[in-house]
Amino acid sequence: MPATIYDVAKKAGVSIATVSRVLNKKDNVSEETKQRVMDAIEELNYVPNMIASALMTKKMSTLSLLIPDVINPFFSEIARGVEDAANNYNYNVIVCNTDYDLKKEAVYLNLLKQKSVDGFIVASAIYNDKNVYDLIKQDYPLVLLGREIDGIEKNTRTDVIVSNDICGGYQATKHLIELGHRKIDLILGPKEIKVNRDREKGYRKALRDHGIAVDKNRIHNGRFKIEFGCSKALEILRKKEQPTAIFAGNDIIAIGVLRAAKSLGYDVPGDLSVVGYDNTILAEIADPPLTTINQQMYKMGYMAAEMLIKRLKGDKKPAQRVIFETKLVVRKSTAKPR
Amino acid sequence: MPATIYDVAKKAGVSIATVSRVLNKKDNVSEETKQRVMDAIEELNYVPNMIASALMTKKMSTLSLLIPDVINPFFSEIARGVEDAANNYNYNVIVCNTDYDLKKEAVYLNLLKQKSVDGFIVASAIYNDKNVYDLIKQDYPLVLLGREIDGIEKNTRTDVIVSNDICGGYQATKHLIELGHRKIDLILGPKEIKVNRDREKGYRKALRDHGIAVDKNRIHNGRFKIEFGCSKALEILRKKEQPTAIFAGNDIIAIGVLRAAKSLGYDVPGDLSVVGYDNTILAEIADPPLTTINQQMYKMGYMAAEMLIKRLKGDKKPAQRVIFETKLVVRKSTAKPR
DNA sequence: CTTTGCTGTGTAACCGCTTACAAATTGATA
DNA sequence: TATCAATTTGTAAGCGGTTACACAGCAAAG
């Protein structure tokens, strides 16, 4: 049985209120009493029970982070950023993998509410996520990461952190166009995820700006999986209207594209240019190293946690919307078309 | 203000004890009362407060996982396994990144104890970790993952899950020897991490078994970082007694070695064979794809969480020690020496 | 010497549940 | 109809802290 505040009080010869005071560095406790309490704490190896205190204060110093999948380096970097920021403020973070599954997300949220986590960071980015609307409606402290939510202008507490994906899509496409590519296929993740729509917008705008007609048949949606990137690329490369470049919705899909190209004996970038998105470690390591769009995952995660914690500590400023800029990172997977 | 059990009781016209009973599916509550309570819960949108209940029951249905770094794919796969298993039993998991830093680990553990997490999974694998000994001494529910701890035979609750790293080291080295290599350098992570000692043991045994003298100068310890792998490999490859193969302590180091080789204009595997360890996604994607030793990260994580939860639920069987077997995965980074 | 205002500490209510125990209700049995 | 066991429900005491409020002790002021 671990020692309680009563044990400490008894050993120090004071009341539990006094112990609580020194524990919380509150008001006035004489140096002498404080010392006696500290000694008792030391002797008894006392660890305060945050559960009991949370019952009164409603503060557990725990955040929850909802992401689709930690294994995806994009999200593990975000998770690391969140965790580091949280740790910095003496918070912990409960990580939940939703696999882009709204039902799973709902189950998690319900459990987390029961546990009185102080706030939520939702990075699982599904379009029109009812769960998220509910959280906002019920006024839970919340930061949305990498996802917007429409029609909540009147809301004043939910901060949003996003990347400028339209710009990212534009940068990638422009890079390919400037290299001389005209037939550029776009292989995206699911339509339900907002970032894919934005990246597509950027792609379309870049083509338009350079007087290239947008061909709907060159735009493909699917999943953020190597296998999808590979099979879709195989399909595309076998058609008559072969592209000279493929812009993938993220690095994982791009890896799949590289694999497909390799299996068909294509040289990248000689026969086919490939651009990824995210600039995860995968892009750096891929063969050839991927030209990709950099996102600041770690910073976004860090900032999300920081903003959330500041709000929990009473920050009343109106909801922020922070946009992180993207950057083109040129490596070896893009070149002029033959 | 969220509804409490009192609100529900009042609305349903029963006592809070009865509400608690239907909530916990306890003993005898007549169908009729139960229905009334359920309706009240529904109407009030009541969410039970687990903090309050935990104060009595001491169960928060929360596990904590200590790993060095989620960004390392080896650990993110473990984390995913842990989380999936936990979720399966309606538990959540708090993930903490220790960066192999004992002080950080201690701070985390202290905070987690305050939060009354139900149990710990420690995968941060530092040799002779005082924190871990303390946990065991204080009889906290604990599973050790990927790390052993000496001198706790009498302990009956702490399960241990490890990979057979001696075997893994042996397999990797044997593979190189059988290809004809005789000068094989070993670039490991820190000595303080047990797995490195085991992998070295396997390496030594393989050499001995094949009548090759072990040259201490060929064994190097450092960090599990690309940069370390790269700089150490550069150093090695510039010496006169150049190896024809390098066995790296994990895939990350191996990636660094590949980078070094590339920067010196070496062909892998033509001029130099490289073997990694772990078989993370990085090995698959590397250029050339890495020959490596497979570890079952996801399964180990899953099992760790499952064993821990079973113990929390009252399983009294003596402490288990589960050993996962490794497997050589041959890809394109190894070949006969010139 | 009484009053005033600090400072330092103790008392007890409360946070929202669980649960041992008591009490009330029901139906069957004597 | 009275008795008893079984079933259903209520009462109240915690769980381990926080905190409003009361109060004691003491120095300075009147």
Side-chain angles (χ1 to χ4, degrees), chain A residues 94-159:
Chain A
I94 293 181
V95 178
C96 304
N97 299 106
T98 66
D99 290 319
Y100 293 114
D101 177 341
L102 280 175
K103 273 191 206 131
K104 239 177 142 176
E105 190 176 275
V107 172
Y108 271 122
L109 287 174
N110 187 48
L111 198 52
L112 293 166
K113 285 177 188 172
Q114 294 186 33
K115 293 191 181 177
S116 309
V117 299
D118 304 47
F120 300 84
I121 297 174
V122 177
S124 46
I126 303 158
Y127 200 68
N128 264 332
D129 185 329
K130 182 177 176 313
N131 300 321
V132 169
Y133 281 110
D134 284 351
L135 282 180
I136 294 173
K137 209 184 305 162
Q138 294 165 45
D139 210 35
Y140 280 99
L142 168 66
V143 170
L144 258 21
L145 182 43
R147 120 185 252 327
E148 309 250 12
I149 186 142
D150 310 321
I152 51 161
E153 293 73 20
K154 55 275 183 187
N155 135 75
T156 60
R157 290 183 64 197
T158 304
D159 299 307

Side-chain angles (χ1 to χ4, degrees), chain B residues 18-31:
Chain B
T18 301
V19 177
S20 175
R21 283 185 192 109
V22 349
L23 245 32
N24 298 298
K25 311 185 197 317
K26 275 270 180 69
D27 13 65
N28 342 305
V29 182
S30 71
E31 268 311 314

